[in-house]
Amino acid sequence: LEDEYFNLKDNLSYLKNYFKTETIKGLGISDESYFINAIASLLKYAEDTQKKTLNHITKIEKKNFSDYMQLDESTIANLELLYPIQTSGDLKATVFAVINKTLTAMGQRMLRYWLVNPLINAERLQARLDSVEYFHNNPIITDDTAEFLNKIYDFERLSGKIGLESANPKDIVLLKESLITSLELFKSLSSENLPERLKFLTHIENKDKIDDFIAIVENTLKEDPPAETANGGYVKDGFNSEVDDLRNTKFNSTKILKEIQKRESSATGITSLKIGFNKVFGYYIEITRTNADKVPDSYIRKQTLANAERYITQELKELEDKILSADDKLIALENQIYLKLISELKQYIPFIQQIAQNIAEIDCFASFAQTARLQRFIKPEITRDNILEIKDGRHIVVEQLQDNFITNNASFNTKNGIFHILTGPNMSGKSTYIRQVALITLLAQIGSFVPALKMKFSLVDRIFTRVGASDNLAKGESTFMLEMIETSNIINNATNRSLIILDEVGRGTSTYDGVAIAWAIIEYIIDNIGAKTLFATHYHELIELDKRYKSIKNYHVSVAEANGEVIFQYKIESGGTDRSYGVHVAKIAGVPEEIVKRANEILGNFENSDKVNTKKEKKLKKIQPKKIHPEQIGLL
């Protein structure tokens, strides 16, 4: 935005005027410049784009992010929370797509927010898990809740349209019906066994305000009004006598004219008397010449024909004016009533928005319960001990795409180490495994049940991932540069309560440089951070580190060999491995047999070279554990 949006003096005056207050402290914010400029610039930008005052924004809420885990852009992308890593990938192959069983637009938006803002407040997280458990253990109640939710429209957005004065009559009636359904849902969930969070969500302190809103709408608008106001027809019969009169005139003019004709014929004794209409004279009474002597003095001659005379009366002239102008007058009057209605309904927006938030949260809980039943998820257990224990964990997305997904355990504690070095060949499941550990942890901390047989964990304050990169040509960054930028972010922000996932760090440069950097990073995390870490690598030299640090444990992906063939078993086992099976991977990837054969010959020469192996061993023995500062490895 232009600089004019951030003039402190103007913004302070703007906020006082907008909220009609003498001091902004009453709004629950400080008088520091960044608060004032942030809020005022947002409001002014919204007003400029919407071309009207934002009457529905009535308060400022300051978010306390100390309760939420901050996920960086890289982690959100690497874990495919909202979008697949491949731009052409299937949107269904994302975490959000798998867990999203919400039935309202409000619930869907809240679920997306929860997914990228996990909780780090144990009390709030336990409240979520208990609410999900209630629905999970009561499938009949969950199904009944789903029936209610299916009838609820996006009244969070609809209330915003009232504030912007862009809501049509159909919107308001849908909002009213959704509120009625919401109250019915809250009533259906009244139970002594209800968890505290659900009790809070279903108890409405300002129910009388919602009742008033419903009553006003029901008294003013028809049950099924048109979506547009241009042609009227939405004000309820009986609400306004003038509307009723004009509507009666508009739709019953033929009947009214026939009644007048019958009455005048009876009064004059002229049985042939009839009422007609033309564009020149409007409505008229036509009487044949043979009955001319019976015409009352009150009739005014208007036109003479060969065999008849045409007359008008004062009553007929007034009725003509009424009939011909009824449509325009009716539309104008209904519009006037509608604008007054919109103005009156604005005061109820804050109460409606609160119910919308409550419905969204209930929708998320029911969604988590439904996913848990369908996918065999379990409730994770929160502990104060700084551990992470997962039994028979699964990757939430990959298991949807594969039959007979192989489960794996993960154990971060004093006995099994807090730093796991994972070795094994490509395509053996290393990346899937390390991602699934991060995803199970993240799911647990948004309040969802998790894809595992059992889980016990202490809350992590951050989840960091570095799981592959590609050149960012637009920014002039190579693969290795991106590796180091992302790794630097982790090193600078992780704590001993964090979970770090590192995949093939150092592969973007030469082997010796890569090993050196990876080795130094591991030592730095152990000595200076102490975070629970999964480090997948092809650098087999790194498995030597478990002999130097008690907190490091080696793990590998098991591989079976039979008749010269390699079978990946996708099972994580203790201990390291010094084989990569790269030639085998090349073979199953379709590399020509001639190349595969020659590669095996060259590999055999390397493996049989005592000089090479001896040289490597001597070099490794010379490396001593040492605290490495970030500036020494070029990460700061």
Side-chain angles (χ1 to χ4, degrees):
L1 299 179
E2 294 81 3
D3 289 345
E4 64 190 53
Y5 276 89
F6 304 99
N7 183 292
L8 182 60
K9 184 178 179 181
D10 290 346
N11 284 342
L12 183 59
S13 175
Y14 170 84
L15 288 176
K16 289 179 180 178
N17 180 63
Y18 183 94
F19 290 103
K20 297 177 175 58
T21 180
E22 292 298 320
T23 171
I24 64 168
K25 289 184 178 179
L27 300 174
I29 60 173
S30 71
D31 57 1
E32 291 163 293
S33 60
Y34 46 84
F35 276 114
I36 295 169
N37 283 335
I39 297 164
S41 61
L42 283 168
L43 285 172
K44 287 194 290 186
Y45 174 75
E47 284 187 339
D48 289 348
T49 56
Q50 300 304 309
K51 307 300 181 186
K52 59 184 69 177
T53 303
L54 308 173
N55 295 311
H56 65 298
I57 299 179
T58 56
K59 66 177 181 178
I60 296 169
E61 181 179 350
K62 187 163 62 176
K63 293 287 185 181
N64 181 8
F65 283 102
S66 62
D67 284 347
Y68 299 94
M69 182 192 304
Q70 300 302 295
L71 296 179
D72 55 52
E73 180 184 0
S74 174
T75 296
I76 293 172
N78 288 333
L79 296 180
E80 299 183 289
L81 299 183
L82 303 176
Y83 304 101
I85 291 177
Q86 300 295 331
T87 55
S88 59
D90 187 355
L91 283 175
K92 294 180 181 179
T94 64
V95 176
F96 176 75
V98 174
I99 67 172
N100 179 31
K101 300 293 185 295
T102 57
L103 299 171
T104 69
M106 299 170 290
Q108 182 168 308
R109 284 195 295 272
M110 180 168 283
L111 179 55
R112 288 174 68 93
Y113 181 82
W114 282 6
L115 191 56
V116 294
N117 292 279
L119 283 173
I120 53 176
N121 179 306
E123 185 178 349
R124 290 184 62 186
L125 181 57
Q126 190 63 57
R128 282 189 191 177
L129 290 169
D130 291 343
S131 297
V132 175
E133 184 179 40
Y134 175 80
F135 284 115
H136 182 264
N137 293 343
N138 296 279
I140 295 177
I141 292 176
T142 307
D143 291 342
D144 291 342
T145 298
E147 286 189 27
F148 285 115
L149 292 172
N150 268 318
K151 299 175 185 176
I152 295 176
Y153 290 84
D154 191 355
F155 62 85
E156 188 172 41
R157 292 283 174 89
L158 293 177
S159 65
K161 291 177 75 173
I162 290 176
L164 291 171
E165 299 180 355
S166 62
N168 61 52
K170 195 81 171 177
D171 290 333
I172 294 178
V173 170
L174 290 177
L175 193 158
K176 179 260 299 183
E177 291 174 350
S178 295
L179 288 173
I180 292 174
T181 305
S182 297
L183 295 180
E184 291 173 349
L185 171 57
F186 296 156
K187 187 177 179 180
S188 75
L189 289 173
S190 57
S191 166
E192 293 182 0
N193 299 323
L194 210 63
E196 288 303 315
R197 184 60 187 171
L198 284 177
K199 285 181 181 178
F200 173 79
L201 294 173
T202 55
H203 175 69
I204 307 300
E205 292 184 356
N206 296 291
K207 183 178 178 297
D208 57 325
K209 296 290 185 182
I210 302 303
D211 290 338
D212 289 346
F213 179 93
I214 292 170
I216 291 170
V217 174
E218 287 185 337
N219 291 335
T220 309
L221 298 178
K222 291 183 176 181
E223 288 186 7
D224 187 22
E228 301 298 330
T229 58
N231 298 315
Y234 44 83
V235 172
K236 189 176 183 179
D237 293 336
F239 175 76
N240 182 283
S241 59
E242 189 177 353
V243 168
D244 293 342
D245 188 40
L246 287 168
R247 195 171 281 162
N248 180 58
T249 300
K250 175 182 177 181
F251 294 106
N252 297 305
S253 58
T254 301
K255 182 181 178 182
I256 293 170
L257 289 167
K258 283 184 178 181
E259 288 176 353
I260 294 174
Q261 179 177 298
K262 183 178 180 181
R263 187 193 68 206
E264 290 299 314
S265 178
S266 177
T268 61
I270 305 172
T271 56
S272 61
L273 182 149
K274 66 179 182 180
I275 294 178
F277 176 83
N278 66 34
K279 293 182 179 179
V280 178
F281 298 108
Y283 289 102
Y284 57 82
I285 299 173
E286 185 173 296
I287 299 175
T288 59
R289 285 184 179 277
T290 57
N291 293 302
D293 58 332
K294 297 179 182 180
V295 175
D297 293 339
S298 60
Y299 282 23
I300 304 168
R301 182 184 285 111
K302 202 67 179 174
Q303 186 181 17
T304 300
L305 302 176
N307 299 313
E309 294 285 349
R310 289 177 174 175
Y311 302 87
I312 62 169
T313 65
Q314 187 62 33
E315 179 190 20
L316 201 58
K317 193 62 182 173
E318 290 175 0
L319 181 61
E320 176 187 313
D321 291 340
K322 196 173 182 181
I323 291 173
L324 296 179
S325 63
D327 199 30
D328 290 339
K329 286 182 178 179
L330 182 59
I331 290 172
L333 182 56
E334 286 198 60
N335 187 60
Q336 183 181 340
I337 292 170
Y338 187 70
L339 291 176
K340 184 179 179 182
L341 172 67
I342 289 289
S343 179
E344 188 177 1
L345 295 181
K346 286 179 182 178
Q347 64 179 302
Y348 298 99
I349 290 175
F351 310 109
I352 294 170
Q353 289 174 332
Q354 183 57 59
I355 290 186
Q357 289 293 298
N358 292 7
I359 288 293
E361 200 163 330
I362 291 171
D363 194 8
C364 286
F365 294 149
S367 172
F368 284 159
Q370 180 74 345
T371 300
R373 280 204 301 272
L374 294 173
Q375 308 293 340
R376 299 176 293 109
F377 287 9
I378 55 92
K379 182 183 181 182
E381 179 186 348
I382 304 174
T383 178
R384 291 184 178 275
D385 300 328
N386 189 16
I387 63 170
L388 172 59
E389 305 280 353
I390 299 171
K391 181 175 176 59
D392 289 342
R394 312 188 306 273
H395 191 292
I396 185 174
V397 177
V398 176
E399 73 168 339
Q400 309 298 316
L401 310 174
Q402 294 181 359
D403 295 327
N404 303 317
F405 184 89
I406 304 299
T407 62
N408 275 295
N409 301 332
S411 181
F412 294 84
N413 52 38
T414 304
K415 178 182 177 182
N416 298 310
I418 61 166
F419 196 111
H420 296 179
I421 296 178
L422 180 63
T423 49
N426 282 323
M427 297 180 62
S428 63
K430 293 198 309 298
S431 293
T432 297
Y433 172 71
I434 63 176
R435 279 184 170 95
Q436 86 181 32
V437 171
L439 284 174
I440 290 173
T441 304
L442 186 144
L443 286 173
Q445 289 195 211
I446 66 172
S448 169
F449 282 19
V450 298
L453 190 62
K454 185 177 181 181
M455 180 187 185
K456 188 174 183 179
F457 75 110
S458 58
L459 270 64
V460 300
D461 58 2
R462 296 286 296 270
I463 295 175
F464 294 98
T465 64
R466 156 86 278 291
V467 291
S470 58
D471 291 351
N472 190 336
L473 299 178
K475 292 184 179 180
E477 296 168 348
S478 67
T479 299
F480 183 65
M481 185 62 172
L482 282 174
E483 276 189 43
M484 293 301 99
I485 289 173
E486 292 180 6
T487 305
S488 176
N489 174 58
I490 295 171
I491 294 296
N492 290 324
N493 293 288
T495 73
N496 66 335
R497 305 293 293 191
S498 300
L499 175 63
I500 300 175
I501 306 297
L502 296 171
D503 189 14
E504 306 292 357
V505 169
R507 69 177 177 179
T509 186
S510 68
T511 301
Y512 285 124
D513 281 350
V515 172
I517 291 172
W519 189 298
I521 288 171
I522 293 172
E523 288 191 337
Y524 185 85
I525 292 174
I526 292 294
D527 293 333
N528 297 281
I529 301 175
K532 292 183 281 290
T533 305
L534 259 174
F535 193 104
T537 184
H538 275 98
Y539 295 139
H540 304 121
E541 295 87 347
L542 300 178
I543 64 177
E544 294 293 321
L545 283 164
D546 77 329
K547 300 171 183 174
R548 304 160 184 261
Y549 291 93
K550 292 182 179 179
S551 55
I552 293 180
K553 296 294 179 182
N554 289 321
Y555 292 86
H556 70 279
V557 186
S558 62
V559 175
E561 295 185 63
N563 301 321
E565 293 296 322
V566 176
I567 302 171
F568 296 148
Q569 297 183 315
Y570 306 105
K571 200 70 179 175
I572 306 301
E573 297 181 349
S574 296
T577 179
D578 59 359
R579 295 197 60 185
S580 295
Y581 299 96
V583 176
H584 173 73
V585 173
K587 180 180 179 180
I588 62 177
V591 172
E593 182 65 30
E594 183 180 351
I595 295 177
V596 172
K597 185 178 179 181
R598 176 58 179 156
N600 272 318
E601 291 175 359
I602 297 171
L603 181 61
N605 292 334
F606 284 145
E607 290 176 343
N608 293 327
S609 174
D610 291 334
K611 291 182 179 180
V612 172
N613 291 333
T614 302
K615 190 176 180 181
K616 279 187 178 181
E617 288 171 8
K618 288 181 178 179
K619 285 185 176 181
L620 288 174
K621 287 178 181 178
K622 290 181 180 179
I623 301 175
Q624 297 298 322
K626 182 182 179 183
K627 289 187 177 182
I628 305 294
H629 295 288
E631 58 268 21
Q632 290 178 271
I633 56 176
L635 293 177
L636 291 182

